[in-house]
Structures are given as structure tokens and as C-alpha cells.
Amino acid sequence: MLGRSEVPGAAPNRGDEVVGMTPNMDSTAEGRRLRDADMLGAPWRRFGPYLSERQWGTVREDYSQDGDAWNYFTHDQARSRTYRWGEDGIAGISDDHQYLCLALALWNGKDPILKERMFGLTNSEGNHGEDVKEYDYYVDNTPTHSYMRYLYKYPQAAYPYDDLVSTNRARSKTEFEYELIDTGVFDDDRYFDVEVEYAKADPEDILMAVTVHNRGPDAADIHLLPTVWYRNTWWDGLTERPSLRLDQSGRILARHHALGDWVVTASEEATWLFTENETNAARLFGGNNLTPFVKDGINDLLIEGRKGSVNPAGHGTKAAAHYTLHVPAGGSQRVTIRLQRADLSVPASDRPAPDFDEVLKLRRQEADEFYGAITPTGISADSAAVMRQALAGMLWGKQFYYFDVDLWLQEHHAHPLRAPSRDMRNMQWYHMLNGDIISMPDKWEYPWYAAWDLAFHCVPLSMVDPAFTRRQIELMLSDVYLHPNGQLPAYEWNFGDVNPPVHAWATLFAHRAAPHEHGESDVDFLRDAFKKLLVNFTWWVNRKDPSGRNLFEGGFLGLDNIGVFDRSAPLPTGGQLEQADGTAWMALFSQNMLELAIELATADPSYEDLALKFVQHFFQIAGAMDRVGQTSDEMWDEEDGFFYDVLRLPDGTATRLRIRSMVGLIPLCAVAIIPPEILDQFPSLIQRVQGYLGRNRDLLVNVADPQKPGVNGHLMLSVLNEEKLRRVLTWMLDEERFLGPHGVRSLSRSHLERPYVFVVEDQQYVVGYLPAESDTGMFGGNSNWRGPVWFPINLLIIRALLQYYRYYGDSFTIECPTGSGHEMTLFEVAKDLAERLIAIFLRNEEGCRPVYGGTEKFQKDPHWRDLLSFHEYFHGDNGAGIGASHQTGWTGTVARLIQLFGELTPYDALHGRGGLLAYGSQGVSAASER
């Protein structure tokens, strides 16, 4: 940043006049609804898919003495036991405080229980950890939830609960999981496709249509029970109990002191059944029930024939519209429910109901219009469908998350400021009061937010709902989430775990994803976020650099079992681990804070001081990763051309842990581009940077030269100079090592034949290549970073490649794949990597989708093959989906990749278009002029 000169042969610089390439969705009907919601307060988002798919087995509901959340509140108890902190259901919706819920229950006449919630294995029951054992799909959704579509596949045979538990429990960690389809319940297509659609006639008039398709060869019966209920907020006796009451016209009047009066109407053939959302203490604990009608009363009526289990007076806090349907082979039946704000001044007979079919048709058309507006015109129909289902999954993944940690700790007698107190998880997080709509990683497997996942959720969510995206960042940085010491909460199992500091990057992304919204409110958003991120940065510097040498720890840092040791536990050798990924994350954090400071300094010059601060931080961190001279205790290995963690022993000696893993690729991601306009805009800042770099020239020896202009006069801050970049890319682009057919693997495939072994006092610690599930129980055993492909880091690698391309342009080429003899520019490498990731979900030449591996039914059956699951991670060699099946979350970033590379050209990338992944600093005022 010492000045710029013209680069011979560079293309003329048009500036960064277009930051992103998201097509205009404002002119669509859904876009107008979003604008009305954001600017006029129209309550289009009041009701949405905010119901969890699993509330049982969560930390919030755990009141055990030993912290065994899975066994304290089980699936078997869930039908009878009232939840304390939330609700769950199938294809469910609720209001944004989850007072009133609406979801679907089913019974095929053979199951031992009413199907009111998804079933899955607990962590100890599954041979690879917890895992949902159902097939349901998020087919469509719009950001205001004006239209939503969901599909559940319900077997006509009795659901094999016991078989799934016993068979999986008996299998080892080296065996495949035993899945629902393996049990044979879908043989001969003897199942129902249960399709649930929601359409909003207006913000407070919601239509629910449930269509049952019999895919089997014979007619079959099914009981459908759309169920409406209130979350039990009156348990303490201090809150007024709401009510559901059947009126003379056959409607339910729903009254709640905070939500107001609502009306629920069912199609005429329904029979309403009423009970209370109260625990069945008699069944669970042998005690006395508070009321004669309890949570599982409707279940007991259907399954056990107990007529006294529901309230004949027609009132309660839980009610179901009971339909018994006879569905012919290959045929279908539909039922409807309407939920609307009550207008008690107008008789029901004088209020015409909207035509269901017309409303559904209109909202479907508007959903098509909305997605048409954001889908590149040149991509295939299959790619467009993948993009749309990924975004539908993101929108279905929103959930009301409620957790008053202060109260929870008091109830556990574990509050550190109130005696008596005992040790308890999260006891240092008593400041937290969460009660918000948050994007979840997976509403069954992970029905709780994970802060670093959420940063990546912003990438696809910003495509459809920029305001909601920003709200997610604001929440994580607010005083009831961010710890007073500056730490961001990780997740409810341990809020104090440390995840990568990617929220400054997410803030930049959210800011630049919606340039049409830039203005005064955007400056406020950036300023407020920057202040909180500064506190978080300070926490990292003070807590995770124990030696003060700019070499950072952090523990597992979201990469679970990637290390030879559990990086979050005391080391068996003693000493400490200086982490290449933790240090690289801090280099990226410094760059992101620099970019934010520059953005803000455009409107407020006082931020120039902070911009200088983060220039200094970046060079100090980058210099520490590869110090001047040849040393054996630094992260960069000159012989190997790769970064490694460094184990620093108690006696002061140190050794590199030579595992070729994603840990050594993350330094590649620490790159930022500075457009030449910045040099003219901030002359005083540039002069001060010149002085700093002049006094510390030795820090520049092993990093990219920040004074050397690239294409169009851009400058670059990077941990890797050109030589290091080539060496690291040579490893990364080798198909025998990192580059898989469907993305960059988390561990080099070379460790298949040559596992890494570290010996401590005759104990061997081994890291070998595992392309699928983990063979250990480290971090629960349901996650594996020793070989599979993970979308979030691949996304950051693509972003980095585009950044490097903006600097080097077409002059930098590299062999891709390594050894192929085929040279590519960095733009072409980025696009190739994106296409490998996208291809996981696309039909290949054989008509199969890699995500579904060898499961024939998923690949060939017309009722299955176009329904997508966006798994947590993917097989390193064949792309098959592994882990949480409805992860969507950060895997939903595939939607952004489809959109970006559906229209991005090399010229666009060089000139700042498509900047959502390849941005450089622009400044608030410059952005607001666009």
C-alpha cells in the first residue's frame, strides 16, 4: 500500500460499479411483499416454518444431574411430556414467538404411536452418532413464506422403530448406517407421499392444504390430523392460559393474551379432538396429572381407543382436525385448514373464505416469478431446480430459538452468582436471553444455532432476503448473545467452544450482497457490527495467543476430528498447539476488519486509525507464520511447501505435525484486494502505512509484496506470495491428494496409504484418510474432517481464487489437475472447483445424482429422483451425501455458486463484478451511489 503505478497491458479499469450480480427481484410480487415487510412493517414474516423438527434431547430441555440431554428427554417421552423451551412437529409453522403452532400428525393404522414428530437415533444409538431416520423434503419456500411446499414419505407398514435402534446399535463405526429404506418398508412402493402446502392470502390469513398420494399397488387408509396448539407458557402459574374453543359454526376460536384472537377452520369432513398441552405425569413418572386431558390424549384415543382421553366439551390448548381417508392405489385425497386473524365483529357467515385453489395457484405462480428473477438465464433446468431447492431448504431451516440461560441456570442451581451453585455447562453464559428466529444448521440433528455455520448461511440467504440475513449477524453480535468478554457463542452444547472468526467476513458479505439497499441504515449496520467485531477481535488476541507471538490456538475450530489429537482437550504431550488454521483465520479476520474500517472511513475519517491497526495486525500475523530465516518451529514448511500445526512442548522444543489437511489450506484463504481508488481516497492513511512498512520491511520478506500493483492497479494483502501460492495449489489441485471429483477434500488422500502416526509414551495417535464417516467417537462421531468434502471451506477457497485472479489476471496459470498438462487461470480453477461441487446434486451422464450414491430408488424412481437432500458433508471420492441429511445450512451455499458462475465471466471478475465472492474495498458512500 505504498502507491501504485500503471501496469503495462492491463485492461482499462472501469472501477467497481457493480458489486454483485444478483438479478432484480424487487419488481416481483414476492419482492414487493419483502419491501412492505421491511419498510412498512407488514407482518408477512409473522408466521413461518419456525417449528423445530426435534425439541427432545436438546440441552435446553435437559434438567438432569449429569447433563445427559439425550436420555433425560427422549423421543418416547416427547408425545407425553410438555416442553419447556420450544415445540416440534412435522411440516410445522408457528408465529415468531412460537405461541401458536400448526403442524401435521399422521397414523397409518399400524404404527404403535401417532406420528407427530420425526424419529431418529440418539448419539449413543447410532453407529455414527445421532441421525434422523425419515425421508422428508423442503420442496419450495419464499422469504415471506407466502408459499411453502413440503413432502413427507410415510410408510404404509408399521414404522420399524425397534429395528432401526437395535440394528444400528449393533453395527460398528466401520460399517454403514442402517437406514429406513434398508428395512424394506418402501418395498413395492407401499407408502404415501404426503404433500403439505401453505399459502398466505394475506399476512394474517394462512391456508394449509395437505394432499396424500398413494404410491402403492393397493388402496390404503390413512388418518390425517392437522394439529393446532399453544406452547406451554403458563407452566409457572403467572401467565394467562390461552384457549382453543369450538364455536357453534364448527370453527375454533384461538385466544392468546399476547398473540390475540385467531380462527382455525377445517374442511367439513373433519372431527375436532381437544386436549391440553400438559405432561402425562401418570404415564411417565407414576404421578398425578394436573388435568384429566394431557398432551398425548389424541394419541391415546386413536392408538388405544381411550375415548376419555380427549375433552368432549370441545376446548383445550391442543386440538386436531381428524380425517380418515381411503386413498385408492395411485390416487390422492386432499384436506384443508385455514388459520386467520379473528374479526369477531363480523359473523363467520358474512366473511367469504378465499378460494383455496385460486390462492394456491397465484402463490405458486408468484414463487415461480420470484425465483425466475434471481436465476441466471443460461443455466440448465436441473441447475435451476437445485438452486431453488437449496434456497427452499434455507428458508425452511428458520426456527424460533428460545433460551433464557440465566433462568435455566437458576433452575439447575448452577448460577455462578447465586448460591448454592454447582458445575454446569454454559454457567459462564448467564447473560444470554435468546428468543429469536434463527437459521439452523439442521432442524432435527442440529435444532440449535451454530455461530460459524450461521456466517455461511448468510451467503445463500442474502440471495432472497437481505434484511433477514443482516438480522442474523446483528443477533450474534448483540448483548444477549455476544459474551461481555467479547466471545461469540458457539452452540448450546457448549457456548464457550471456539469457532473460526468468520463473522466480519459475513458482515462484509451481507453489506455487499444488496447494493440497492445501501444508505444511512447501511452505515449504521456496518458501524454497529464493527464495534462488536472489534470486541470479538480483542478477545481473540487476549485469549488465544498465549505467548503473544501472533500464533493462535483455538481448539478444534469447527474442524472436529481433523487433528491427530483432540485439539480442544489437554495435549497428551503437554505444552500447547500453535494452529495454522487458527492463525490464518486471524489473518483473514484482520483483513476483513481492515476492509470494514475502510468502508466506514469513507463516511467517517476517524476509522482510518483502526484501518492502520488492522494493517499492522495482518503483517504481524503473516510474518509469524513464516519468520525470517530457516527455522523448524514455524508453520510454513519450506521443504514440503505446506503449512502445518506446530506442537510446542513444555521443554521449549517444537515440532510440526505434518498432516496434509484442510488446516494447511486455510492460509490460502487469507487474501484481500485493495482497489487503486483507495490510495487516492485516503492519502493520510497511506502515508502512515508507508511508515509502518518502512520500519518493518523484514515482515514483507515471506508474504506477498503489498507495494507491487497487479492487474488494473490492484494491491494485494496475502499470507502467500506467488511462490507459496503455486506450491500450495500444486498440492491442492492434485487428484491423488486433495482435489476430489466433487471438491477439495478435508484431508489428503495420500494418507490412505500413508497414515500420519504420532507416538507419545508408546501410545500411537493415527490420522488416516476416511472419505466417508468417522471411525472414532471424537466429537460425537457424527462428523468427519478426515477426508470428506465440506462446502464452507471450499467456498472460501473459491472466494480466495477469485481474489487472486483479480490481482494476477490471466498472467498466472497453473496445472489443473496437477500432472494433467492442462494449464488454467485462477478464474478457471475457481469455476472448475465450483462445478465439481455443484455436480454433487446434478444428474450425470447416467442420469444419477452423486449425492445419492448407490441407493437405486433415490436415483431412478420418478417419485424420488428429483427430491434433494443437502447433506452436512460429502464422500471424498464419489460425492455421496453423509451426515445430517437436512443440513442445508452451509451446504445451501451451492445456490450462490450456481447463480454466480451461471453468469460470471473472467472480465466481470477482473473488474469487480460478481464481487459477492471476489470483492475489494469500496466504501459506503461509493456503494450508495450505485
Side-chain angles (χ1 to χ4, degrees):
M1 294 182 66
L2 293 176
R4 70 174 189 273
S5 61
E6 296 301 322
V7 180
N13 187 357
R14 297 185 181 178
D16 294 328
E17 71 276 6
V18 181
V19 181
M21 299 184 68
T22 305
N24 185 9
M25 61 189 181
D26 291 351
S27 61
T28 68
E30 179 65 11
R32 290 190 290 273
R33 281 190 286 269
L34 278 172
R35 187 169 61 250
D36 289 348
D38 296 337
M39 303 187 71
L40 303 178
W44 281 106
R45 295 191 191 89
R46 174 167 293 158
F47 274 85
Y50 309 143
L51 206 59
S52 174
E53 291 184 357
R54 177 175 65 82
Q55 184 69 15
W56 60 272
T58 61
V59 167
R60 282 156 289 158
E61 301 295 340
D62 178 21
Y63 285 78
S64 67
Q65 291 298 309
D66 58 1
D68 186 358
W70 283 109
N71 291 313
Y72 177 76
F73 201 133
T74 66
H75 176 270
D76 180 63
Q77 294 176 344
R79 70 179 184 273
S80 307
R81 189 172 178 179
T82 300
Y83 293 127
R84 173 74 172 79
W85 297 99
E87 294 291 337
D88 58 18
I90 298 172
I93 66 171
S94 77
D95 65 272
D96 53 10
H97 289 85
Q98 205 162 96
Y99 295 131
L100 183 62
C101 308
L102 173 63
L104 182 65
L106 314 96
W107 188 48
N108 57 15
K110 299 170 185 172
D111 281 352
I113 59 173
L114 184 64
K115 175 71 72 173
E116 294 181 276
R117 57 190 49 81
M118 298 295 175
F119 174 74
L121 305 179
T122 68
N123 186 267
S124 62
E125 291 171 340
N127 60 322
H128 295 290
E130 63 265 27
D131 186 34
V132 67
K133 298 298 183 184
E134 306 274 9
Y135 298 118
D136 62 320
Y137 301 92
Y138 305 135
V139 182
D140 212 355
N141 208 324
T142 58
T144 66
H145 315 301
S146 59
Y147 178 72
M148 302 189 287
R149 184 176 167 218
Y150 170 100
L151 187 71
Y152 174 62
K153 292 186 177 288
Y154 187 38
Q156 294 171 5
Y159 186 92
Y161 291 100
D162 293 339
D163 182 23
L164 286 167
V165 172
S166 60
T167 304
N168 276 288
R169 183 176 274 160
R171 292 192 175 187
S172 71
K173 292 189 180 299
T174 60
E175 294 178 277
F176 288 118
E177 296 175 359
Y178 184 58
E179 302 292 1
L180 182 59
I181 202 162
D182 300 327
T183 68
V185 293
F186 292 101
D187 290 355
D188 302 319
D189 293 326
R190 295 184 184 276
Y191 71 93
F192 299 106
D193 266 340
V194 183
E195 181 183 35
V196 181
E197 292 178 282
Y198 291 96
K200 294 181 180 178
D202 65 44
E204 297 182 329
D205 191 352
I206 304 164
L207 312 180
M208 177 190 192
V210 183
T211 306
V212 179
H213 306 273
N214 182 358
R215 302 302 184 194
D218 301 312
D221 294 336
I222 184 173
H223 297 258
L224 289 186
L225 296 98
T227 304
V228 60
W229 74 100
Y230 284 108
R231 176 167 62 90
N232 190 329
T233 58
W234 59 91
W235 59 272
D236 57 4
L238 302 177
T239 305
E240 181 181 344
R241 177 189 289 262
S243 67
L244 301 168
R245 186 175 297 274
L246 194 65
D247 70 10
Q248 294 180 344
S249 65
R251 309 173 306 164
I252 288 182
L253 177 61
R255 312 199 77 163
H256 189 280
H257 71 280
L259 190 62
D261 293 342
W262 293 73
V263 171
V264 186
T265 309
S267 43
E268 294 180 358
E269 61 271 26
T271 300
W272 282 105
L273 306 173
F274 290 82
T275 189
E276 300 288 346
N277 188 12
E278 296 280 6
T279 295
N280 186 345
R283 173 186 174 246
L284 296 175
F285 314 118
N288 296 319
N289 291 335
L290 296 175
T291 66
F293 309 109
V294 287
K295 184 176 178 180
D296 54 7
I298 297 170
N299 173 90
D300 291 352
L301 172 67
L302 264 68
I303 308 300
E304 301 176 13
R306 293 177 51 197
K307 295 183 178 179
S309 64
V310 296
N311 190 345
H315 62 82
T317 49
K318 177 180 178 180
H322 181 206
Y323 301 86
T324 303
L325 305 179
H326 183 73
V327 190
S332 61
Q333 297 257 27
R334 189 180 80 163
V335 304
T336 60
I337 297 289
R338 180 186 185 192
L339 171 66
Q340 65 179 140
R341 171 76 71 177
D343 184 355
L344 302 182
S345 64
V346 180
S349 57
D350 295 341
R351 249 187 301 142
D355 184 284
F356 254 76
D357 291 328
E358 287 300 316
V359 172
L360 283 171
K361 180 181 178 181
L362 178 61
R363 294 296 182 250
R364 289 175 190 143
Q365 290 174 344
E366 291 171 346
D368 291 343
E369 176 195 36
F370 177 78
Y371 282 105
I374 65 171
T375 303
T377 56
I379 67 174
S380 68
D382 198 21
S383 295
V386 172
M387 177 179 139
R388 184 164 174 172
Q389 284 194 52
L391 292 169
M394 296 301 306
L395 293 169
W396 272 101
K398 295 159 74 170
Q399 178 186 313
F400 175 72
Y401 183 89
Y402 178 43
F403 198 9
D404 182 340
V405 182
D406 185 273
L407 178 59
W408 187 82
L409 288 170
Q410 291 186 58
E411 292 171 344
H412 286 74
H413 305 292
H415 199 295
L417 303 183
R418 294 173 172 86
S421 181
R422 62 186 180 93
D423 286 339
M424 190 76 187
R425 66 160 51 97
N426 297 325
M427 62 186 301
Q428 303 303 320
W429 291 81
Y430 51 85
H431 74 285
M432 294 184 71
L433 175 58
N434 301 169
D436 300 282
I437 305 300
I438 305 178
S439 177
M440 298 291 144
D442 181 306
K443 288 171 70 172
W444 192 93
E445 191 153 335
Y446 307 119
W448 29 261
Y449 65 86
W452 93 292
D453 296 55
L454 189 57
F456 290 97
H457 296 189
C458 293
V459 175
L461 283 171
S462 63
M463 297 169 64
V464 292
D465 197 344
F468 178 77
T469 302
R470 294 186 188 197
R471 177 61 179 154
Q472 299 302 283
I473 295 169
E474 289 169 339
L475 282 177
M476 291 300 109
L477 297 177
S478 68
D479 63 317
V480 288
Y481 287 79
L482 185 71
H483 197 282
N485 67 19
Q487 185 179 7
L488 279 160
Y491 33 70
E492 67 176 33
W493 287 94
N494 184 359
F495 285 125
D497 266 352
V498 183
N499 283 167
V502 288
H503 294 82
W505 173 76
T507 300
L508 279 165
F509 195 97
H511 161 60
R512 290 166 179 161
H516 59 281
E517 290 194 354
H518 291 169
E520 191 62 35
S521 63
D522 195 67
V523 177
D524 291 342
F525 165 71
L526 286 182
R527 185 186 298 114
D528 291 346
F530 185 85
K531 291 176 182 176
K532 305 295 181 59
L533 289 165
L534 186 59
V535 176
N536 181 235
F537 188 93
T538 303
W539 178 86
W540 271 91
V541 170
N542 290 339
R543 297 292 184 92
K544 295 303 171 182
D545 178 18
S547 66
R549 297 167 61 236
N550 291 291
L551 299 170
F552 290 82
E553 299 178 347
F556 81 112
L557 284 177
L559 306 186
D560 294 11
N561 64 339
I562 203 166
V564 68
F565 312 124
D566 179 348
R567 300 194 303 170
S568 290
L571 299 173
T573 60
Q576 65 191 54
L577 194 64
E578 296 168 351
Q579 297 179 214
D581 55 338
T583 306
W585 286 125
M586 285 302 291
L588 178 62
F589 196 177
S590 300
Q591 292 169 341
N592 298 150
M593 292 297 282
L594 167 61
E595 292 183 279
L596 282 169
I598 290 174
E599 297 269 5
L600 290 164
T602 307
D604 183 351
S606 67
Y607 282 90
E608 290 187 28
D609 287 344
L610 290 166
L612 177 63
K613 166 187 170 68
F614 289 107
V615 168
Q616 295 168 344
H617 273 295
F618 167 73
F619 283 107
Q620 290 162 6
I621 293 168
M625 296 183 76
D626 183 12
R627 302 195 307 280
V628 177
Q630 292 295 319
T631 59
S632 61
D633 65 343
E634 60 192 11
M635 294 170 178
W636 174 253
D637 189 303
E638 182 61 28
E639 180 180 351
D640 287 1
F642 205 71
F643 290 94
Y644 299 112
D645 285 347
V646 174
L647 177 62
R648 193 167 296 279
L649 299 170
D651 63 4
T653 61
T655 184
R656 298 188 187 104
L657 301 179
R658 285 185 166 87
I659 306 167
R660 291 203 179 102
S661 73
M662 193 66 78
V663 165
L665 295 180
I666 290 174
L668 173 82
C669 301
V671 54
I673 301 301
I674 308 299
E677 308 86 75
I678 298 300
L679 305 179
D680 296 330
Q681 197 169 5
F682 300 104
S684 174
L685 172 62
I686 300 307
Q687 184 177 16
R688 296 168 71 191
V689 171
Q690 286 177 336
Y692 172 77
L693 294 181
R695 294 188 301 274
N696 296 276
R697 289 188 179 278
D698 56 330
L699 293 180
L700 311 183
V701 172
N702 294 322
V703 301
D705 186 349
Q707 305 169 76
K708 182 180 179 180
V711 172
N712 294 325
H714 288 100
L715 301 178
M716 181 173 71
L717 304 183
S718 172
V719 170
L720 280 66
N721 58 26
E722 183 173 350
E723 179 188 355
K724 286 179 179 174
L725 178 61
R726 289 187 179 279
R727 297 187 72 183
V728 171
L729 287 178
T730 298
W731 290 115
M732 190 185 84
L733 299 178
D734 188 335
E735 293 184 313
E736 295 301 314
R737 292 177 170 85
F738 282 104
L739 185 61
H742 297 290
V744 176
R745 302 176 176 111
S746 50
L747 186 77
S748 171
R749 200 175 188 278
S750 63
H751 288 303
L752 177 64
E753 299 296 332
R754 296 183 297 280
Y756 178 83
V757 180
F758 193 92
V759 179
V760 181
E761 297 179 351
D762 298 326
Q763 167 100 26
Q764 283 194 344
Y765 295 84
V766 181
V767 174
Y769 176 73
L770 298 169
E773 289 92 355
S774 172
D775 62 358
T776 76
M778 192 184 297
F779 289 90
N782 63 331
S783 175
N784 182 26
W785 286 82
R786 293 184 177 181
V789 171
W790 292 75
F791 264 75
I793 307 301
N794 273 263
L795 181 82
L796 289 180
I797 290 172
I798 290 170
R799 173 251 176 205
L801 290 169
L802 292 175
Q803 292 273 60
Y804 289 118
Y805 180 69
R806 287 191 73 190
Y807 180 76
Y808 290 110
D810 293 335
S811 66
F812 186 115
T813 63
I814 192 153
E815 196 177 35
C816 182
T818 299
S820 68
H822 180 60
E823 294 284 322
M824 289 188 183
T825 67
L826 294 177
F827 177 86
E828 291 169 333
V829 174
K831 186 172 183 180
D832 178 79
L833 178 53
E835 289 173 347
R836 289 172 186 250
L837 293 163
I838 294 166
I840 290 172
F841 304 101
L842 298 177
R843 289 193 196 174
N844 58 24
E845 298 80 8
E846 291 77 38
C848 296
R849 303 182 191 275
V851 64
Y852 282 138
T855 306
E856 187 73 12
K857 195 169 195 67
F858 295 172
Q859 297 286 17
K860 301 298 184 182
D861 191 307
H863 296 302
W864 293 73
R865 66 188 182 195
D866 293 326
L867 298 168
L868 297 173
S869 293
F870 296 88
H871 290 254
E872 184 178 6
Y873 54 98
F874 301 87
H875 195 290
D877 294 336
N878 61 38
I882 309 168
S885 59
H886 274 304
Q887 171 83 10
T888 312
W890 55 29
T891 303
T893 55
V894 69
R896 178 64 81 176
L897 293 177
I898 291 171
Q899 185 191 64
L900 180 65
F901 287 97
E903 54 194 0
L904 186 68
T905 68
Y907 182 90
D908 295 328
L910 283 176
H911 293 84
R913 303 187 71 194
L916 298 177
L917 288 179
Y919 50 71
S921 298
Q922 285 105 33
V924 172
S925 63
S928 64
E929 293 169 3
R930 284 188 280 274

